[in-house]
Every structure is written in C-alpha cells, then in structure tokens.
Amino acid sequence: MRAGAALPLDGVLPADQLTGYYPAALDNLRADGVLYGLPVTVETAGLYVNNALLTDGVPATTADWLAAVQADPAAGAATGGGIYLNLYHLIWGFPAYGARLMDDDGLVVLDQDDGAAQFLSWLHEMNQTQGNFVSFDYGMLLDRYKKGEFPYFIDGPWAAAELRQALGDALAVAPLPAGPAGPAQPWLSADGLVLNPAAGQQQQALALLTAWFITNQESGARWARIAGRVPAQRDADLGGDPVLAGFAAQAATAMPMSTRPEMEQVWGYGGDMLLKVVNDVLAPADAVTEAAALINEANRK
C-alpha cells in the first residue's frame, strides 16, 4: 500500500457504500489513514464454548470468569478455560482494562497507566487457579479442548472446522469477557480486494464493480454458507450458525490489527512479557515497564 502498488479508494466509492462493513475491517485495509481495499472476510479471536459442559451462563466479565473457577477449582470442567500465551490471542484484554498498545506515532504506551498490569495480574491469577490451562503449547490446549476437559477456549475461526468435527452441535462462540474499562477488543484482520493503480480508467471501474459485488451483503452470505468464513459485511445472513454468529458479534467490538512497521518488535518482547508474568519471573507492572522500554528502544522511539 505504502509502495504505491494499490489504488487509493477514498473518494472513489460513495461513503454510504462503506457503512455495511465492520469499521475495523476497513481500518485494517487503511495505511496512513487512506483506504486501499474492500474487505471480503475477517478473522478475530473469540471465546469458543462447549455447551455440553456448561452448568451456568458464559461469564460476561473477566472478574466473573475468575470468580467462577476460584469458587470451585475442582469443577474446572464446567468453568475453566484454555488460554494460549500468545499476544494475538490476548491483546483483547489490554483495552478491556483501559490500556493502549501504541500511540499514533508508534510509541508503545502500555506502561503509561496501570491497565496493562491489571490485565496481566488477572492472567496470572487464572494461571494459578486449578481448572484453567494457560500455556504456550497451542497443540496441547487444542487437544484438551477437543477432549472436553474445559468449556472455554480462546481462538479464532481457523480452528472452527476441526472443533466442529470434535464437538458437533455443542460448539458455539461467545464474545470474549469484558474488563473493568469496557468490552474485549481483539485484533481483527481482513482479507481484502485491492485495485491496480496502473489499470486504465475503464478497467478500474469494472474492477471496482467486481470488488463491490464480491464483498457486498449478498456475497457475504455466500462466504458464510459455502466457505464457513465470517463476512466483512455486518448484516450478511449467517444462516443461524452459532460459531459464525459469535465471531460476528466479537468483530463488532474488535480493533484493527496494526500494520505499523513498529509491530515487528512488539511480537517477541510482548510474548516475553506474558511468559515472565505467568512464570513469576517479573511482577506484572515490572514486566510491562520492561517490555515497553525494550520495544521503544528497538524502534528508536
């Protein structure tokens, strides 16, 4: 996009034609505030639910979830969860606790309030409570979930086919629990269509018409029904599918996954931050301070 290989779409499409897409899907296809593509389908993390194991409702908040497991640690099969120690899978909790990863200049600002440390403290408590599985081993978590060892698993649509095969009609997806500052906001990424800026005006017009047809509400319903994908159109018919409906509900509060070049340094240091807290190497506040400093230093901020 920044290399000039895609046609800017701002002003090319009527504004009302963009209102049906998830805002985060459009923002994921923007660079420096300029729209370069039309989103087709989206991916984001959500809370897989095995309804066959539930005795109560799905926890609405992180506090509810922790309290449910702590109330009866031996009943983890009815209240516990699988939590993958990966920044993509856990980024949702930072804004839910009032924290922000980066400012508009790419400076990591997780350490500028106590929200990030509070979320990491919750994660540490979840790890310390019997009945939960908080791990860097994704394969182990997925296998245990398919075997019915806990009712909740944080993951994305890419696991849906495998989990449907294992759990059948018991499988659903719910929004991730809210925090004290607001709803969970996982990252959302979009598959999109971009136009060649070197094409002639007539070719661009035809390409734009085709892109709109592939990404409109009617086509979104086909993406859901035939491909099992979450369409970028908010009002596309999902055919009553509880998995797709859950991810669609989560997409409404998701934030666009950052495409800033500074993100290259975030993955490693951010992952280390999670591991150090869960493994009691650093207190949450110290881990946040260290990670922010290391990322900003690496990015020369």
Side-chain angles (χ1 to χ4, degrees), residues 232-247:
Q233 285 279 346
R234 291 180 289 184
D235 296 325
D237 184 0
L238 304 178
D241 188 305
V243 172
L244 295 181
F247 281 119

Side-chain angles (χ1 to χ4, degrees), residues 240-260:
D241 188 305
V243 172
L244 295 181
F247 281 119
Q250 187 65 81
T253 68
M255 57 182 174
M257 186 173 176
S258 176
T259 58
R260 296 189 64 98

Side-chain angles (χ1 to χ4, degrees), residues 10-273:
D10 289 325
V12 176
L13 285 171
D16 60 354
Q17 200 165 329
L18 299 176
T19 58
Y21 301 104
Y22 290 108
L26 291 170
D27 286 344
N28 186 240
L29 296 176
R30 286 189 168 102
D32 302 323
V34 179
L35 181 66
Y36 285 95
L38 291 182
V40 182
T41 61
V42 300
E43 288 189 335
T44 190
L47 187 68
Y48 278 104
V49 179
N50 183 347
N51 285 311
L53 300 179
L54 293 190
T55 56
D56 295 311
V58 177
T61 68
T62 54
D64 292 341
W65 192 2
L66 179 60
V69 186
Q70 290 179 332
D72 188 1
T79 58
I83 300 176
Y84 180 36
L85 270 180
N86 174 277
L87 190 63
Y88 180 93
H89 285 69
L90 289 170
I91 194 67
W92 58 270
F94 293 108
Y97 278 74
R100 189 164 59 131
L101 176 61
M102 285 183 180
D103 67 12
D104 294 338
D105 296 319
L107 180 76
V108 170
V109 293
L110 280 176
D111 58 337
Q112 293 192 3
D113 55 48
D114 62 355
Q118 289 180 8
F119 173 60
L120 293 180
S121 294
W122 173 84
L123 183 64
H124 181 269
E125 287 298 308
M126 289 289 282
N127 181 59
Q128 294 293 312
T129 304
Q130 181 182 340
N132 286 321
F133 295 86
V134 181
S135 175
F136 192 66
D137 189 340
Y138 176 81
M140 177 274 290
L141 293 170
L142 186 67
D143 184 61
R144 285 180 178 270
Y145 187 67
K146 290 192 297 182
K147 291 177 179 177
E149 295 189 21
F150 41 85
Y152 306 119
F153 181 47
I154 299 173
D155 206 6
W158 49 83
E162 186 173 351
L163 294 179
R164 287 182 197 271
Q165 186 175 11
L167 302 179
D169 292 339
L171 185 69
V173 171
L176 291 157
Q185 293 181 257
W187 271 327
L188 180 145
S189 57
D191 294 321
L193 296 173
V194 298
L195 278 63
N196 187 347
Q201 186 173 359
Q202 184 176 6
Q203 287 181 310
Q204 287 183 0
L206 290 173
L208 190 62
L209 182 64
T210 302
W212 165 244
F213 176 78
I214 292 173
T215 65
N216 67 17
Q217 188 173 324
E218 183 179 353
S219 293
R222 293 191 179 97
W223 282 104
R225 184 179 68 253
I226 299 172
R229 301 294 300 272
V230 183
Q233 285 279 346
R234 291 180 289 184
D235 296 325
D237 184 0
L238 304 178
D241 188 305
V243 172
L244 295 181
F247 281 119
Q250 187 65 81
T253 68
M255 57 182 174
M257 186 173 176
S258 176
T259 58
R260 296 189 64 98
E262 291 88 353
M263 280 297 300
E264 184 177 348
Q265 300 298 333
V266 170
W267 293 108
Y269 291 120
D272 288 346
M273 175 182 67

